Amino acid sequence: MKTIVTALVLAFLTNACINNSKKERDSAEANKAYTNEYDSFKDLGQYWHLGMQVKPKKYWSIAGLIPKLHKNELGHTELTKGMQYHLLCQSISGLVNRAVDQGKSDVGIWLHDHSEKEAYKVAKQGLVKMGVQEHAQTTAIELVSETYADVDGVKVQVKDLFNGYVLTDIENNPESNTVATVASHVYNAIIVDVRDKDYFDSLGYKMMYDASKKNTQDAWNEFKDKCNNNALVVMPLQTGEQREFAIKNNLFVINLNKKYNDASAGQNTALFDEVLQWLKPGSPIYGWEHGVGEDLFVNKVSETGNIMVPADWMYNLNLTSLLYKSRQSGLAKVLDPKAIDFTEKGKKYVSYHLSDGDNVQWMMNGFANEYYFNHPAADTMKIAFGLPVDNLSMMAPDVMELLFDKQGENTSIVQTFGGGYNYADLFGIKGNRAGSLKQIASATAAHMRQHRIKILSLMAKDVGSEEAKEAYRAYIKANNQLEGILAVQYSPYAGGKGTIYWETNSDGYDIPIITVKYSLWNFGDKNNEREGTPTYIANKLNSESDSNPFSVISIHAWSRFSDTGNSKDEVAENVLGPIIGPGIAKLNASKLSENFKVVNVEELIWRVRMHYKPNQTKKRLELFKNNH
């Protein structure tokens, strides 16, 4: 009896402590504004990017032609032109930056970006803030040919860091590019093409490996055991950008198409399957492949529980991500729900969400311009911009901070997607599904909470499937600061038809998963059932008779339209014109009836919660100060 009484007393005291702890936490929450609900920056195991760990004292900028149209960059004979030169630059950068991390060099390499894009300027300014100074600009040919004296006690000469060269023949055997990239880190050798062999022989460089007649399968057969299996690079033939990253980190590289942008010439599909099984689950896969249905290879990446990171046209990943764990900063602007007038009646609410926010290379190139993030209509249309907050904050923290600083007052930043580009309903199904989901959901939660991101976008092959709902549940359970999920179907993006699902978080609040209702997308001479022109989608919205007054509209990032004025033609706007990004939302909204109100996606989610779950939503809002 005494034992039973003791147990009851202990149980009572335990429950009292738990209840008191919850009351204390709720009381603490009530003493702060909603905008102060975020976590401090801390390594909680959320970082998957392979960042450079040792800071160089100086760096060389390698100048010269960096090809843009890769398949047209063959046929040059000059040493400093063409894809041959590009690969030489990439290999020098990868090997020298690896030497820095190994403590063998105090000077790094930056591949000079001739377009002077803002993102790269900001990333270089980040190096300056860390005390890493640009030594000088030169060409790769000069760097491997000349002898340099030490500067300020720093050995700036790098040519003696290489053991020799790996030979390619990219005009006659494009796959020698892939083989040479892997062999470069195995043999600590720069990449030299047959075009330039005589010149490097004359300098005394020794050929360490001949890749000129080898293919990608050969690279796997010969070098699999000499590659790290914690990441992978996928890059098309006749490209170079992420090869310096692969070389620095001793990674395997694969091309899916055996000919650039042409699946009909054969593919390395079976090899890709084998490599994915070899990778550790949760490994990032950097790059992209052209001429391949993205569902075909993103499917495979998702199924094995790995992380697809679209970053094919991004330069200098080693230096842009230098010591990124200690350089996290920047908070998204969020809407204070206490400022929403929930007494408003008789309105239908529409929110616009820009697609393709998982694309890191886009963020590093043309995203923060007048067509997208800085579009004059972005703030008035209250656009929800999907951003790869997780990957970009690791791969280029200075650029992520720039975008936070440039965010419009009325726009929303949405984490896209839940850890790279994956399909949530397929994630980890060929491995430990529960473990993979828990790992990626926890990591995503840490990134979101520390950057004050409240909304998550997820993509699924079937947004209403039980597998998709299992994924929603995992992300919601991992993050009690997550207010809602936007669910995008691949494909069509609007396959969910605006249906709202619910899952309960760890604090007992029901969190909405709102599927895209319609998509603004240019299909040329037609419209699809739930996708099409601004006029077509406006007519769909205006004629709706269902009881759901909430609509998330996806804007296809790569579509352009023309303004046809008062024309009722539902296809004419598809004639390519200057209207892009937020301008598409503005054109669509101008054709909606006065019953519609444009709100940002955070307000839409709070209105959904108040509409369907009023009691618990009011309870949640009571936790925070009223600053209005």
Side-chain angles (χ1 to χ4, degrees):
M1 177 63 73
K2 182 177 179 181
T3 302
I4 295 173
V5 170
T6 302
L8 290 172
V9 170
L10 286 174
F12 173 80
L13 291 174
T14 300
N15 287 331
C17 289
I18 292 172
N19 290 332
N20 286 336
S21 176
K22 186 176 187 305
K23 288 178 181 177
E24 289 172 3
R25 188 184 70 187
D26 289 349
S27 177
E29 291 285 337
N31 290 323
K32 70 179 182 182
Y34 176 78
T35 51
N36 288 332
E37 185 189 58
Y38 57 89
D39 294 353
S40 58
F41 292 111
K42 185 178 180 181
D43 184 354
L44 299 174
Q46 74 268 33
Y47 298 123
W48 57 74
H49 172 62
L50 308 183
M52 192 165 165
Q53 298 300 309
V54 178
K55 183 173 64 175
K57 294 178 180 177
K58 296 179 182 292
Y59 66 89
W60 285 99
S61 284
I62 294 184
L65 178 67
I66 303 296
K68 286 180 177 290
L69 300 174
H70 302 277
K71 60 183 179 179
N72 296 326
E73 288 297 336
L74 300 175
H76 290 286
T77 58
E78 298 95 328
L79 288 170
T80 57
K81 289 188 177 180
M83 184 54 58
Q84 296 91 336
Y85 178 68
H86 192 179
L87 294 176
L88 172 66
C89 294
Q90 291 280 331
S91 62
I92 291 172
S93 179
L95 293 174
V96 173
N97 288 328
R98 183 175 70 169
V100 172
D101 249 7
Q102 293 172 339
K104 298 177 181 179
S105 176
D106 286 326
V107 64
I109 298 291
W110 176 273
L111 299 180
H112 182 61
D113 178 67
H114 290 271
S115 62
E116 293 298 311
K117 291 185 173 68
E118 183 180 26
Y120 293 100
K121 289 182 180 179
V122 168
K124 289 181 76 173
Q125 290 167 6
L127 294 175
V128 174
K129 291 176 184 176
M130 288 189 286
V132 183
Q133 300 292 330
E134 182 180 65
H135 169 58
Q137 288 191 12
T138 186
T139 67
I141 298 300
E142 290 171 344
L143 203 57
V144 298
S145 306
E146 302 295 328
T147 299
Y148 301 96
D150 293 359
V151 177
D152 301 327
V154 176
K155 184 178 181 180
V156 296
Q157 182 166 295
V158 299
K159 66 179 182 179
D160 52 356
L161 294 172
F162 316 128
N163 294 343
Y165 69 82
V166 174
L167 189 67
T168 58
D169 184 359
I170 61 172
E171 293 205 29
N172 296 305
N173 178 20
E175 282 202 329
S176 65
N177 174 349
T178 299
V179 183
T181 304
V182 181
S184 175
H185 69 70
V186 172
Y187 288 96
N188 192 48
I190 56 177
I191 298 175
V192 172
D193 195 76
V194 292
R195 183 196 74 176
D196 306 324
K197 182 179 185 301
D198 290 345
Y199 177 79
F200 282 85
D201 286 343
S202 72
L203 294 177
Y205 283 88
K206 178 183 177 182
M207 183 172 72
M208 304 298 296
Y209 181 83
D210 186 353
S212 62
K213 294 180 173 59
K214 298 293 183 80
N215 59 38
T216 304
Q217 183 68 54
D218 293 328
W220 179 247
N221 295 341
E222 294 182 42
F223 302 128
K224 168 186 175 181
D225 295 337
K226 295 179 174 62
C227 295
N228 293 330
N229 71 337
N230 57 350
L232 176 71
V233 168
V234 176
M235 288 295 291
L237 299 173
Q238 314 299 23
T239 66
E241 282 74 0
Q242 294 308 333
R243 298 183 191 279
E244 64 114 12
F245 181 76
I247 292 168
K248 186 265 173 190
N249 290 292
N250 306 327
L251 304 179
F252 190 69
V253 180
I254 189 170
N255 54 285
L256 299 183
N257 287 336
K258 295 185 178 183
K259 183 178 179 181
Y260 180 84
N261 203 30
D262 184 0
S264 66
Q267 295 181 304
N268 290 308
T269 306
L271 177 58
F272 188 48
D273 290 339
E274 186 177 349
V275 173
L276 289 176
Q277 290 299 323
W278 166 78
L279 284 175
K280 294 178 182 177
S283 296
I285 298 174
Y286 302 87
W288 199 249
E289 178 77 41
H290 302 271
V292 178
E294 61 189 65
D295 56 324
L296 296 179
F297 73 94
V298 178
N299 268 15
K300 295 173 183 289
V301 173
S302 296
E303 289 170 351
T304 53
N306 291 301
I307 301 167
M308 188 69 229
V309 185
D312 44 343
W313 303 148
M314 179 185 176
Y315 294 105
N316 299 304
L317 180 50
N318 288 315
L319 285 184
T320 62
S321 61
L322 175 66
L323 295 172
Y324 72 83
K325 292 182 184 180
S326 62
R327 295 200 292 136
Q328 293 299 301
S329 62
L331 298 172
K333 296 180 181 70
V334 293
L335 173 71
D336 186 346
K338 303 281 278 190
I340 299 173
D341 178 10
F342 290 106
T343 65
E344 186 177 57
K345 303 295 182 183
K347 289 291 185 182
K348 292 186 175 183
Y349 300 96
V350 59
S351 288
Y352 296 99
H353 174 238
L354 188 68
S355 76
D356 289 71
D358 57 298
N359 195 327
V360 178
Q361 67 91 6
W362 184 26
M363 307 300 142
M364 295 298 296
N365 288 286
F367 176 74
N369 60 23
E370 68 275 16
Y371 299 110
Y372 297 107
F373 203 56
N374 290 338
H375 192 288
D379 208 47
T380 56
M381 297 314 301
K382 303 180 179 181
I383 301 296
F385 288 102
L387 291 180
V389 176
D390 46 12
N391 281 311
L392 188 60
S393 67
M394 294 184 284
M395 296 165 68
D398 302 294
V399 178
M400 186 70 258
E401 185 176 7
L402 171 71
L403 294 179
F404 284 136
D405 289 343
K406 285 192 166 191
Q407 181 190 353
E409 292 295 327
N410 296 309
T411 64
S412 295
I413 289 180
V414 176
Q415 164 63 47
T416 308
F417 292 110
Y421 179 14
N422 63 58
Y423 302 131
D425 50 343
L426 301 184
F427 196 75
I429 62 171
K430 289 189 175 179
N432 179 3
R433 162 81 165 168
S436 292
L437 273 178
K438 183 177 181 180
Q439 179 183 7
I440 199 65
S442 297
T444 300
H447 286 290
M448 292 180 66
R449 293 166 69 100
Q450 292 178 23
H451 287 287
R452 197 169 61 187
I453 307 294
K454 301 295 187 179
I455 311 300
L456 172 67
S457 173
L458 293 176
M459 181 171 275
K461 300 303 287 288
D462 181 353
V463 293
S465 67
E466 289 306 311
E467 292 78 10
K469 292 174 183 176
E470 179 187 13
Y472 305 150
R473 196 175 305 123
Y475 285 100
I476 288 169
K477 289 291 186 184
N479 186 3
N480 66 353
Q481 292 181 18
L482 174 63
E483 306 293 6
I485 291 176
L486 305 183
V488 185
Q489 186 158 299
Y490 187 91
S491 173
Y493 285 3
K497 303 179 181 179
T499 302
I500 300 172
Y501 303 102
W502 298 87
E503 295 291 345
T504 306
N505 74 6
S506 59
D507 289 339
Y509 295 106
D510 294 327
I511 303 301
I513 301 99
I514 306 175
T515 65
V516 172
K517 185 180 286 188
Y518 296 108
S519 179
L520 293 159
W521 196 312
N522 189 330
F523 287 96
D525 60 351
K526 64 176 183 176
N527 293 307
N528 290 338
E529 181 185 358
R530 309 188 74 85
E531 305 173 302
T533 66
T535 294
Y536 174 70
I537 298 303
N539 289 343
K540 287 276 192 181
L541 287 164
N542 289 332
S543 63
E544 279 185 349
S545 58
D546 63 50
S547 59
N548 176 12
F550 307 105
S551 302
V552 172
I553 310 300
S554 175
I555 307 167
H556 181 230
W558 317 124
S559 287
R560 288 177 177 263
F561 295 97
S562 294
D563 187 348
T564 58
N566 295 323
S567 171
K568 298 187 183 302
D569 190 321
E570 293 186 336
V571 179
E573 290 165 332
N574 279 337
V575 175
L576 290 181
I579 300 175
I580 191 170
I584 299 173
K586 183 178 180 181
L587 183 58
N588 175 249
S590 71
K591 299 174 182 294
L592 295 177
S593 75
E594 61 183 13
N595 292 331
F596 283 90
K597 180 179 180 179
V598 175
V599 296
N600 80 11
V601 76
E602 293 167 75
E603 179 173 343
L604 184 94
I605 283 170
W606 280 109
R607 288 189 178 278
V608 166
R609 293 174 69 171
M610 188 64 81
H611 182 81
Y612 292 105
K613 312 281 183 175
N615 292 334
Q616 59 173 254
T617 303
K618 290 174 184 176
K619 181 181 176 183
R620 167 83 169 130
L621 293 178
E622 286 170 0
L623 294 176
F624 302 101
K625 276 184 182 179
N626 188 350
N627 291 332
H628 303 276

